[in-house]
Amino acid sequence: MTKSDFYRELYELYGTVTRARGCFLYTKKGIRITDLYQEGGRAILGWEGGSAFTHFKNVLSRGQTGSFITEDMNHPSRLERAVSELTEAERCVFAFSDRMTALKAGLSLAPQTTSFYKPWAEGQKINQVDAAVIIPPLPWTDTIYLLAVKKSILPAEVHGSIKLPFALETAITRSVYNLIAELSERQEKDFFIYDPVLTKYWERQGPYLYPKVPSEKYDDFVLHCLKLGIAISPDYKAFSIVPYGADRGVFTKLKNSPFAY
């Protein structure tokens, strides 16, 4: 199921989304949807964006929206400093408008040590990865991918990268710092509490859920969950995410109305 088809089904069932907060979507028909899709991980810190959107608005209010230089070019950008802290290695950061271009750029620089960064992923040693593709933890940036490259392997240029508008770069930078602050807050104990229901349908690795439901039945499972007020990843090959902070009761309907596969 495509992302567009998924959101169309959500609209047909519940009307427009009128508000989004934390891991919940609130719809025009007064139904609260528990969001396990979380825009592919971009809303993993919550849909409201927190201080990242505040920083975005502050930059806009200063009129820093032109193509003029907004930071000292002789020093690492704020985004590079944030990503270097996140990945525990000194890095340069490049932005791309699609996933595959970012991945190919990383593989061209570090064929053996390029990977996607996933916060709270078990066994991940991101400081040992030479090129890391990072999805910004900021809702709404669904066409932005970051490539964090260790400065020790940096070439003269990286093909396919784009320049981010300064206001957007500022918001993404703040979202990275927000993620750093949250990394020590969310722990395994916050993820496994939902296992009695979720592990029947997914294999869980940290907060990430990989489907056990067969691929040929997955679209039906997506619709089954949506009718029970649960939004999961519409893409069989992509993970869903444990809804951090939600009461375990949000899965009562799924427990009482199991999906047969």
Side-chain angles (χ1 to χ4, degrees):
M1 181 181 295
T2 67
K3 178 179 175 180
S4 296
D5 289 339
F6 172 71
Y7 280 132
R8 174 58 58 177
E9 293 289 348
L10 176 64
Y11 171 77
E12 294 292 339
L13 285 169
Y14 303 110
T16 56
V17 174
T18 58
R19 187 164 65 96
R21 182 173 295 276
C23 60
F24 296 108
L25 307 176
Y26 298 84
T27 66
K28 189 173 183 179
K29 291 186 178 181
I31 304 298
R32 187 184 72 174
I33 307 298
T34 304
D35 182 19
L36 279 66
Y37 177 36
Q38 298 176 22
E39 205 78 345
R42 296 180 188 273
I44 197 168
L45 297 183
W47 271 102
E48 59 270 36
S51 60
F53 284 141
T54 301
H55 280 67
F56 179 72
K57 290 186 288 186
N58 289 343
V59 173
L60 291 179
S61 70
R62 293 197 298 268
Q64 290 178 293
T65 56
S67 55
F68 37 72
I69 297 173
T70 53
E71 286 196 303
D72 188 347
M73 296 181 66
N74 296 319
H75 295 84
S77 70
R78 295 174 184 175
L79 178 58
E80 287 182 343
R81 292 198 297 269
V83 170
S84 295
E85 182 177 342
L86 175 67
T87 60
E88 302 175 346
E90 191 175 4
R91 298 180 187 268
C92 287
V93 177
F94 304 90
F96 296 84
S97 58
D98 68 87
R99 180 179 185 273
M100 288 308 301
T101 304
L103 180 59
K104 287 178 181 179
L107 290 172
S108 70
L109 300 173
Q112 305 300 321
T113 57
T114 292
S115 68
F116 282 89
Y117 171 71
K118 293 190 297 182
W120 300 283
E122 298 175 350
Q124 182 174 234
K125 297 180 179 178
I126 193 62
N127 61 327
Q128 297 180 15
V129 173
D130 288 331
V133 180
I134 299 173
I135 295 176
L138 181 69
W140 164 71
T141 58
D142 60 340
T143 57
I144 301 297
Y145 293 82
L146 303 179
L147 179 66
V149 183
K150 283 188 176 179
K151 290 189 175 181
S152 59
I153 66 164
L154 189 65
E157 61 179 318
V158 175
H159 295 288
S161 63
I162 61 173
K163 178 174 175 53
L164 294 174
F166 184 60
L168 179 57
E169 181 178 322
T170 298
I172 291 174
T173 300
R174 176 46 52 184
S175 75
V176 172
Y177 280 123
N178 290 345
L179 175 59
I180 293 170
E182 196 68 22
L183 285 175
S184 61
E185 296 297 320
R186 304 186 188 189
Q187 302 175 19
E188 175 65 14
K189 64 180 178 63
D190 301 307
F191 306 138
F192 74 67
I193 59 174
Y194 311 100
D195 281 0
V197 176
L198 297 186
T199 54
K200 179 178 180 179
Y201 305 104
W202 289 276
E203 176 187 346
R204 184 179 63 79
Q205 298 177 17
Y208 302 102
L209 302 170
Y210 299 89
K212 293 179 179 178
V213 176
S215 58
E216 63 271 17
K217 292 190 175 183
Y218 189 72
D219 283 359
D220 291 336
F221 180 53
V222 172
L223 292 175
H224 178 82
C225 289
L226 197 55
K227 291 175 182 178
L228 298 177
I230 302 168
I232 68 173
S233 172
D235 184 354
Y236 177 77
K237 296 180 180 179
F239 52 74
S240 295
I241 301 172
V242 170
Y244 175 76
D247 186 272
R248 283 176 287 183
V250 297
F251 296 116
T252 298
K253 289 183 178 179
L254 181 58
K255 179 181 178 180
N256 294 338
S257 300
F259 179 76
Y261 67 94

